Amino acid sequence: MESDEAAAASPSGGTVTPAPKKRGRKPKIKEEPQTQQQQSGGKMKESGGKKTKQSVDDKYSQWKGLVPILYDWLANHNLVWPSLSCRWGPQLEQATYKNRQLLYLSEQTDGSVPNTLVIANCEVVKPRVAAAEHISQFNEEARSPFVKKYKTIIHPGEVNRIRELPQNSKIIATHTDSPDVLIWDVETQPNRHAVLGAASSRPDLILTGHQDNAEFALAMCPTEPFVLSGGKDKSVVLWSIQDHITTAATDSKSSGSIIKQSDKSESPSVGPRGVYHGHDDTVEDVAFSPTSAQEFCSVGDDSCLILWDARTGTSPVTKVEKAHDADLHCVDWNPRDDNLILTGSADNTVRLYDRRNLTSNGVGAPIYKFEGHKAAVLCVQWSPDKSSVFGSSAEDGLLNIWDYDRVSKKSDRAAKSPAGLFFQHAGHRDKVVDFHWNAEDPWTIVSVSDDCETTGGGGTLQIWRMSDLLYRPEEEVLAELEKFKSHVMTCASKP
């Protein structure tokens, strides 16, 4: 297929033979979505498929009925094409009832139009502003008025992963089906019209160094402009884009760091600071230490968690040989406690490691194993607001919010729920491939699902914030509810 060949092309030159992706992602369905829906609406021959769809729909209907109770705000945005990644960009404007912020997502097409990187303007409604009846009245097939496409970049190949530079979130990195990492300055990139045959947009910088495709493992450093990647070549690669970044003057048009502009017709490229070997299979995810650009970790299909330190060479500092009972898909390093590392796996669990408990000979048990998913975990991320809270999303269509502090405080009332689990977002009807906490509004999350399996194509982007009654201190919540109860009793007693 032409689209597969295009996706496998490396922006820096050569091509790499495409291979099936892991992580449970299925080939895109080419039929019209309507046809698929008609088929699933009564013409399915397999009773098993019908039961599964009915089960998904029943659970979804139950969830939707609870939206006004569980959520402070929710926006549902239907995607024509699946997006495998979603990330918050910079906040642009603050107003009385809502803030405006950039949102990054992608369009993974079937080749009839180009794959794109989408920059959207998102209106984030402030806490305790949205009316309960409004947040539950949305059409699953419609686009949200809160999300508006602002700029389109035609991406060379499908976008598997998007990550923003913390020092300047208008600079982003993307992974596609090639060995290269692509760097984009979304402010200076021209807006493109995505039509068949249109030439790809030109990346501002290309990071080279992988010997095989690097599809998912990607991270940007919170302390310096460093980029980390992992790939099918079983290696972890580190770059500094410092040489290609310049601190601009204080004029409002170019505040902060920007990528040096190149007059050449081809994108400039930069080689790695280091290439690190220690995995025996594809590296699926990487993460920087929150306190050092020289320390980072990686996980892979060899079931290993590896800690690295660029100052001590290119060999592992610590290697946990069997961190999970299956492939590892994701890892995140706690931004508020640099001893804690989360991992997620195809064994359906999330595990929490304390690096002080790990030894160089690979011995080290997790300090806790979180069991609440029924399918492979695809993404884990710590909350930017509280050091014990994190989220995990999986192929079971759920995004779970956990609090490690609650593990030891489990009450009898919640005996049936997994320890530490205190919120379950069930608004997606297929695998939740990515999510991102909003650092500007810490309890607001954007999540995206690839809906090919349930709706025959496309995806669902949701932006949501759970009710603060669920995460605020218990005594504070009880005091507020008592005041509310008194108010209700007073109103009820009036003639």
Side-chain angles (χ1 to χ4, degrees):
M1 280 189 289
E2 285 181 18
S3 60
D4 288 342
E5 290 171 5
S10 164
S12 62
T15 58
V16 177
T17 304
K21 285 195 185 77
K22 292 192 177 184
R23 302 164 70 88
R25 296 191 172 98
K26 298 174 177 63
K28 296 182 290 293
I29 296 170
K30 298 289 199 295
E31 290 87 348
E32 290 293 323
Q34 191 175 1
T35 306
Q36 289 285 10
Q37 288 166 357
Q38 288 169 350
Q39 287 175 351
S40 64
K43 296 182 181 178
M44 269 188 178
K45 292 179 181 176
E46 298 177 15
S47 60
K50 195 179 286 185
K51 281 180 183 175
T52 303
K53 186 180 187 304
Q54 187 178 7
S55 172
V56 169
D57 288 345
D58 288 347
K59 287 179 180 176
Y60 178 78
S61 297
Q62 185 181 19
W63 167 81
K64 196 170 180 182
L66 293 171
V67 164
I69 301 167
L70 297 176
Y71 294 84
D72 178 73
W73 179 57
L74 183 138
N76 188 90
H77 186 69
N78 177 263
L79 301 172
V80 177
W81 301 106
S83 177
L84 294 185
S85 199
C86 58
R87 300 293 285 188
W88 290 108
Q91 191 176 82
L92 304 176
E93 182 183 6
Q94 291 189 342
T96 306
Y97 299 111
K98 55 193 176 185
N99 300 325
R100 193 162 58 88
Q101 191 167 353
L102 287 187
L103 187 64
Y104 305 133
L105 57 150
S106 65
E107 294 176 313
Q108 183 192 19
T109 72
D110 61 0
S112 59
V113 291
N115 291 285
T116 63
L117 175 62
V118 175
I119 295 93
N121 266 321
C122 180
E123 291 182 335
V124 181
V125 175
K126 289 188 173 182
R128 299 204 167 199
V129 168
E133 62 269 20
H134 289 164
I135 64 172
S136 60
Q137 293 173 355
F138 59 83
N139 178 0
E140 287 81 2
E141 308 306 319
R143 298 181 185 182
S144 169
F146 297 103
V147 180
K148 292 175 182 172
K149 191 181 287 190
Y150 160 69
K151 184 180 282 190
T152 299
I153 294 170
I154 298 180
H155 199 270
E158 59 191 44
V159 182
N160 297 327
R161 187 62 57 95
I162 305 166
R163 291 294 180 261
E164 73 290 345
L165 185 66
Q167 302 92 40
N168 179 357
S169 55
K170 289 183 179 178
I171 306 294
I172 62 174
T174 58
H175 256 329
T176 183
D177 296 341
S178 94
D180 299 329
V181 177
L182 310 181
I183 305 293
W184 309 86
D185 184 335
V186 300
E187 194 164 38
T188 61
Q189 280 286 331
N191 187 28
R192 300 288 305 281
H193 187 47
V195 295
L196 185 63
S200 296
S201 299
R202 185 162 67 91
D204 292 279
L205 187 63
I206 297 174
L207 307 183
T208 62
H210 277 294
Q211 303 304 308
D212 200 344
N213 283 358
E215 295 173 343
F216 296 108
L218 184 63
M220 299 187 95
C221 179
T223 57
E224 294 184 52
F226 280 28
V227 182
L228 195 63
S229 168
K232 290 185 175 181
D233 57 4
K234 308 172 188 174
S235 68
V236 174
V237 184
L238 175 71
W239 296 269
S240 168
I241 53 176
Q242 189 69 55
D243 295 342
H244 291 266
I245 290 186
T246 152
T247 303
T250 54
D251 67 273
S252 59
K253 288 187 178 179
S254 57
S255 60
S257 299
I258 58 170
I259 296 177
K260 287 181 178 177
Q261 298 300 303
S262 170
D263 296 328
K264 299 177 182 178
S265 59
E266 294 182 0
S267 302
S269 63
V270 63
R273 278 279 182 99
V275 180
Y276 303 86
H277 299 284
H279 283 284
D280 299 319
D281 206 335
T282 300
V283 180
E284 291 282 5
D285 202 11
V286 290
F288 277 101
S289 160
T291 55
S292 170
Q294 306 297 326
E295 294 180 79
F296 38 92
C297 62
S298 59
V299 295
D301 290 343
D302 55 4
S303 302
C304 292
L305 163 66
I306 298 181
L307 274 60
W308 312 84
D309 189 329
R311 294 164 295 198
T312 63
T314 58
S315 297
V317 172
T318 306
K319 182 174 182 178
V320 182
E321 294 281 358
K322 197 169 177 59
H324 280 260
D325 300 325
D327 298 359
L328 273 76
H329 290 159
C330 45
V331 65
D332 196 33
W333 206 315
N334 194 317
R336 291 172 173 267
D337 184 341
D338 65 1
N339 289 311
L340 300 181
I341 295 171
L342 280 174
T343 57
S345 166
D347 67 7
N348 306 352
T349 71
V350 176
R351 299 189 183 186
L352 175 60
Y353 285 91
D354 186 327
R355 65 170 173 168
R356 293 168 297 189
N357 297 350
L358 307 178
T359 59
S360 57
N361 61 1
V363 176
I367 57 175
Y368 201 76
K369 183 163 69 173
F370 298 88
E371 298 177 298
H373 286 290
K374 294 179 180 176
V377 179
L378 298 177
C379 184
V380 290
Q381 195 197 2
W382 290 101
S383 161
D385 187 57
K386 190 179 177 189
S387 62
S388 61
V389 172
F390 65 92
S392 63
S393 68
E395 290 182 6
D396 58 9
L398 296 173
L399 202 170
N400 290 340
I401 306 298
W402 310 80
D403 187 344
Y404 176 58
D405 283 351
R406 298 190 186 203
V407 168
S408 58
K409 302 173 186 174
K410 189 176 178 186
S411 66
D412 294 334
R413 287 177 300 168
K416 289 184 179 178
S417 65
L421 178 65
F422 77 95
F423 189 84
Q424 199 165 61
H425 178 64
H428 292 284
R429 288 171 288 175
D430 212 324
K431 50 187 175 288
V432 183
V433 291
D434 201 11
F435 72 94
H436 192 201
W437 298 84
N438 189 347
E440 301 289 347
D441 188 354
W443 285 89
T444 300
I445 292 173
V446 60
S447 52
V448 68
S449 58
D450 179 347
D451 296 346
C452 288
E453 183 77 356
T454 51
T455 66
T460 301
L461 181 90
Q462 291 183 335
I463 305 160
W464 52 276
R465 182 193 307 117
M466 72 177 81
S467 167
D468 62 14
L469 298 177
L470 297 171
Y471 61 80
R472 279 166 47 208
E474 187 175 352
E475 60 277 8
E476 198 179 295
V477 171
L478 290 174
E480 181 178 332
L481 292 176
E482 191 61 38
K483 282 174 66 177
F484 179 68
K485 179 183 173 184
S486 301
H487 174 70
V488 171
M489 296 297 284
T490 304
C491 293
S493 63
K494 289 181 180 178

